[in-house]
Amino acid sequence: MEWEQWWEWIKEHRGKILGVGLGLLFGWFAIVYGFWKALFVALCVAVGYFLGKKVDEQTDWRRLWDRFFRPR
């Protein structure tokens, strides 16, 4: 395969490639540090991704805070 074909294949299957990579990384963390520590790291990564995405979208933080912590 030529480089252009490889790039097309990668673009077509990037979600699967990313999923396999993340699965391998989580598995390695679980083996080295234990399941619960690996789960904690995965949770921290997910929260970091969520916050970073909101920064990229220039989200109104007060509205976001009120959405999650409404007065009852």
Side-chain angles (χ1 to χ4, degrees), residues 8-69:
E8 286 299 318
W9 184 82
I10 288 171
K11 282 192 230 177
E12 187 177 327
H13 300 287
R14 69 177 175 246
K16 295 172 196 158
I17 294 168
L18 182 62
V20 167
L22 290 174
L24 284 171
L25 185 64
F26 182 80
W28 179 74
F29 268 43
I31 290 169
V32 172
Y33 300 109
F35 176 77
W36 293 109
K37 289 180 183 177
L39 192 62
F40 176 73
V41 169
L43 179 65
C44 289
V45 168
V47 168
Y49 173 80
F50 175 76
L51 292 175
K53 183 178 176 198
K54 293 300 179 186
V55 167
D56 287 345
E57 295 172 351
Q58 299 178 350
T59 300
D60 179 17
W61 290 99
R62 182 165 311 279
R63 203 171 111 223
L64 184 66
W65 180 267
D66 290 342
R67 181 175 157 205
F68 284 108
F69 301 105

